[in-house]
């Protein structure tokens, strides 16, 4: 790491009672009140050497820096890797972790796409997607994981562990392997996609499929870390949140530090929304941006404890529920970070929404039809935007950024079933699924015969024929 790295003075603080311990216990819970910790940066207020302009140019210089020959220069090459990472590049806004412990795979640096077809449908011209599925393990988890896995390495841990709906585990397994640590994965049996399960197997994790749901896995893991020297890598770990903040920092850099009007994220365990919101508030405090975007959080109707917390209980409590949704990544009934998420929802003036299974499937196909694609949980953002647009919360002339959290290939089963028309067969949603029919593109099995292919081309759906100027059929 280059010498301009400040030893950012960060300290832990309990979000409930304000206790400031020197270090956190294995479960990352406050010993006084049991709530979560967050990092705070008192040094920023006390004569910090950076101003917003010098930070911006420092980060830009790192991104455009040119690497040296790797031969015989391991430390220089490590420094360059950190400068190129979309997380470590922004290290002035993170707690300090020495370079020798940093485990990086060049995470972050994800593209921002204009969603032209979706924009037309929703009636918001300036509609963009920040695609976190374009990370090394194909989900947004990598930005938090590079940082938290590095903190495990710094702590000398041999084992790291998480409970997961599939993406955290994939990410953790990869970063543990890169850092020569062992990883233990607890996942709900039969409730995660094969793509995600296959990742943690291939990256060498000890993978336990428990006969319970995600919330049940979390309960077991919390007990385990009190008895065994394993390092907890769920998003209750505040290092995860710090690394994940960089998604918002990088987004604002991509937008020339002009805040969009809205950022929309899916809500599961609520670490991601907490992290993005924390970054926004901190960037405003540091004058990197001059106004806050509204951060809105969308949940599936069948996994909506946070939606109900805000809409039914005025933000006073979360009532744990048995969650159920085909968007398995967010099949979570008792979100750990709800208080943090509530705080940033209020600070930014965002909204909560819930969307149905059919609305999720439809939105996912629409994002796919823009040539982008995402996994089901990510598509709640577009489905939620439609509702926020209908209610007038989002206006036609405003700029909206959807955070797409996972890659299309994470859950091909969902996609294939949708396009074949099987996704809702025999379920109470079957009747409503008719509305998504025009988006379905089932594969056609034909003999190897030119005439048959031409007939298929001639019979292609009318909307394809009429909207493409290039195909005259
Ligand atoms: N989108 C995807 C693709 C996810 O994998 C998750 C969470 C979320 C959204 C919700 O983010 O929990 O920070 O609110 N996945 C976790 C996991 C729980 O174990 O992979 P959140």
């Amino acid at each position: 790491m280059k010498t301009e790295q400040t030893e950012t003075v960060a300290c832990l603080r309990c979000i409930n009672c304000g206790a400031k311990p020197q270090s956190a216990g294995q479960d990352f819970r406050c010993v006084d009140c049991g709530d979560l910790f967050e990092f705070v940066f008192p040094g920023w207020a006390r004569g910090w050497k950076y101003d917003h302009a010098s930070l911006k140019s420092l980060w830009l210089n790192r991104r455009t820096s040119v690497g040296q020959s790797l031969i015989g220069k391991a430390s220089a090459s490590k420094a360059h890797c950190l400068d190129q990472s979309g997380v470590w590049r922004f290290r002035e806004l993170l707690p300090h972790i020495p370079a020798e412990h940093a485990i990086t795979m060049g995470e972050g640096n994800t593209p921002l796409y204009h969603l032209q077809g979706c924009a037309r449908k929703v009636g918001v011209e300036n509609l963009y997607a920040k695609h976190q599925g374009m990370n090394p393990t194909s989900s947004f988890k990598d930005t938090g994981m590079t940082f938290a896995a590095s903190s495990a390495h710094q702590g000398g841990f041999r084992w790291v562990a998480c409970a997961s709906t599939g993406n955290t585990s994939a990410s953790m397994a990869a970063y543990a392997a890169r850092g020569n640590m062992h990883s233990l994965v607890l996942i709900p049996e039969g409730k995660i996609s094969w793509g995600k399960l296959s990742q943690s197997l291939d990256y060498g994790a000890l993978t336990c499929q428990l006969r319970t749901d995600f919330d049940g896995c979390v309960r077991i893991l919390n007990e385990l870390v009190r008895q065994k020297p394993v390092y907890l890598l769920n998003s209750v770990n505040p290092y995860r949140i710090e690394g994940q903040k960089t998604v918002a920092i990088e987004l604002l850099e991509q937008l020339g530090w002009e805040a969009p009007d809205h950022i929309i994220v899916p809500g599961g365990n609520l670490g991601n929304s907490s992290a993005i919101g924390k970054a926004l508030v901190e960037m405003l405090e540091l004058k990197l941006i001059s106004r806050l975007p509204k951060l809105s959080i969308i949940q599936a109707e069948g996994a909506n404890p946070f939606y109900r917390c805000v809409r039914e209980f005025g933000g006073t409590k979360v009532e744990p529920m048995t969650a159920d949704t085909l968007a398995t990544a967010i099949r979570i009934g008792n979100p750990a970070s709800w208080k943090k998420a509530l705080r940033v929802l209020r600070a930014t003036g965002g909204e909560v929404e819930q969307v149905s299974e059919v609305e999720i499937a439809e939105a996912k196909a629409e994002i796919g039809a823009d040539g982008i694609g995402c996994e089901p949980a990510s598509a709640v953002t577009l489905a939620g935007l439609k509702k926020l647009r209908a209610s007038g919360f989002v206006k036609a002339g405003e700029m909206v950024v959807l955070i797409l959290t996972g890659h299309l290939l994470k859950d091909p089963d969902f996609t294939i079933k949708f396009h074949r028309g099987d996704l809702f067969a025999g379920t109470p949603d079957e009747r409503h699924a008719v509305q998504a029919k025009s988006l379905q593109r089932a594969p056609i099995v034909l003999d190897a015969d030119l005439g048959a292919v031409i007939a298929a081309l001639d019979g292609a759906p009318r909307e394809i024929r009429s909207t493409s100027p290039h195909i005259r059929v």
Side-chain angles (χ1 to χ4, degrees):
M1 215 177 279
K2 291 218 182 91
T3 46
E4 79 267 48
Q5 161 71 28
T6 52
E7 302 245 338
T8 314
V9 187
C11 55
L12 288 170
R13 183 175 69 189
C14 170
I15 59 164
N16 178 48
C17 72
K20 286 186 176 168
Q22 283 301 309
S23 63
Q26 300 271 103
D27 61 355
F28 290 103
R29 296 269 174 187
C30 175
V31 284
D32 296 329
C33 73
D35 223 318
L36 300 183
F37 291 118
E38 63 182 345
F39 275 107
V40 289
F41 299 87
W44 291 354
R46 290 197 302 256
W48 204 35
K49 75 174 183 179
Y50 293 105
D51 59 45
H52 58 92
S54 61
L55 275 176
K56 287 174 188 173
S57 67
L58 174 63
W59 295 335
L60 193 63
N61 287 341
R62 284 181 184 152
R63 181 155 67 85
T64 51
S65 64
V66 180
Q68 301 163 357
S69 158
L70 300 187
I71 303 159
K73 292 181 184 151
S75 65
S77 113
K78 178 78 175 272
H80 182 64
C81 288
L82 294 181
D83 283 355
Q84 296 283 293
S85 158
V87 173
W88 295 88
R89 193 155 71 79
F90 300 109
R91 51 191 176 265
E92 283 69 25
L93 299 201
L94 309 178
H96 178 63
I97 294 181
E100 67 264 30
H101 296 294
I103 307 165
T104 177
M105 289 199 275
E107 52 290 312
N109 298 315
T110 56
L112 186 65
Y113 297 120
H114 183 230
L115 292 178
Q116 67 272 31
C118 297
R120 268 196 306 276
K121 280 207 165 147
V122 182
V124 176
E125 197 189 319
N126 281 318
L127 176 59
Y128 292 86
K130 172 110 176 110
H131 207 324
Q132 293 304 103
M134 303 301 187
N135 266 295
T137 75
S138 306
S139 87
F140 73 106
K141 301 292 182 181
D142 294 342
T143 54
M145 199 55 76
T146 178
F147 205 63
S150 302
S151 80
H153 194 273
Q154 185 183 9
F157 283 87
R158 290 188 61 236
W159 277 90
V160 295
C162 73
S164 180
T165 56
N167 279 327
T168 302
S169 45
S171 182
M172 178 189 77
Y175 280 89
R178 300 295 300 163
N180 286 320
M181 296 179 288
H182 302 291
S183 60
L184 168 68
V185 161
L186 302 186
I187 45 173
E189 199 214 354
K191 294 294 189 301
I192 78 164
S193 73
W194 291 115
K196 299 172 189 176
L197 177 60
S198 63
Q199 284 182 290
S200 69
L201 301 181
D202 227 35
Y203 300 141
L206 172 60
T207 304
C208 302
Q209 296 180 275
L210 304 189
R211 291 188 200 92
T212 178
D213 55 12
F214 169 81
D215 302 291
C217 292
V218 169
R219 278 194 296 276
I220 303 268
L221 184 63
N222 283 338
E223 291 299 315
L224 180 85
V225 295
R226 288 188 197 109
Q227 295 188 23
K228 290 281 182 186
V230 297
Y231 186 82
L232 179 66
L233 276 176
N234 277 89
S235 57
V236 294
N237 180 328
Y239 285 96
R240 283 271 315 277
I241 303 294
E242 291 301 307
Q244 242 162 268
K245 286 192 321 194
T246 58
V247 175
I249 306 172
E250 182 180 278
L251 168 66
L252 267 299
E253 184 187 60
Q254 283 167 314
L255 294 174
W257 303 102
E258 287 287 330
D261 298 292
H262 297 273
I263 298 177
I264 303 184
V265 291
N269 214 18
L270 298 171
N272 194 31
S273 32
S274 303
I276 290 175
K278 186 173 193 281
L280 294 174
V281 171
E282 289 177 358
M283 280 190 282
L284 184 71
E285 186 189 328
L286 293 170
K287 299 192 171 58
L288 288 159
I289 52 176
S290 54
R291 66 179 180 118
L292 285 175
K294 295 186 175 77
L295 180 69
S296 293
I297 302 172
I298 317 295
Q299 295 203 297
E301 276 176 9
N304 65 352
F306 187 64
Y307 173 85
R308 294 182 57 220
C309 160
V310 177
R311 295 284 179 102
E312 282 175 36
F313 311 127
T316 53
K317 61 167 183 176
V318 152
E319 206 171 80
M321 65 186 289
T322 303
D324 197 15
T325 168
L326 291 172
T328 51
I330 50 173
R331 201 170 178 275
I332 294 171
N334 191 13
S337 295
W338 70 272
K339 286 187 191 166
K340 290 185 180 179
L342 184 67
R343 204 171 53 180
V344 295
L345 188 83
R346 291 191 167 149
T348 66
E351 255 295 12
V352 284
E353 256 308 344
Q354 60 171 356
V355 292
S356 72
E357 296 293 292
V358 175
E359 286 166 341
I360 295 171
E362 204 174 11
K364 186 176 118 54
E366 285 165 348
I367 294 167
D370 257 341
I372 306 295
C374 62
E375 69 162 286
S378 311
V380 302
T381 53
L382 180 65
L385 169 61
K386 291 179 191 172
K387 294 200 159 167
L388 297 176
R389 184 76 189 93
S391 72
F393 183 74
V394 173
K395 303 188 179 47
E398 292 186 315
M399 178 188 250
V400 181
V401 178
L402 309 179
I403 305 294
L404 300 184
T405 43
H407 198 280
L408 169 68
L409 295 177
K410 283 280 191 176
D411 194 352
D413 263 11
F414 182 110
T415 309
I416 292 170
K417 282 186 183 153
F418 172 80
H419 287 287
R420 288 196 166 137
D422 297 340
L423 192 61
F424 299 110
T427 74
D429 285 319
E430 193 164 9
R431 204 160 40 89
H432 309 292
V434 177
Q435 70 190 61
K437 212 154 183 65
S438 67
L439 291 160
Q440 288 166 5
R441 299 282 179 269
I444 309 165
V445 181
L446 299 172
D447 285 333
D449 174 72
L450 177 63
V453 176
I454 290 178
L457 193 61
D458 288 342
R462 192 177 293 279
E463 60 274 18
I464 297 183
R465 284 183 285 166
S466 63
T467 54
S468 170
H470 305 297
I471 303 176
R472 284 184 287 121
V473 288

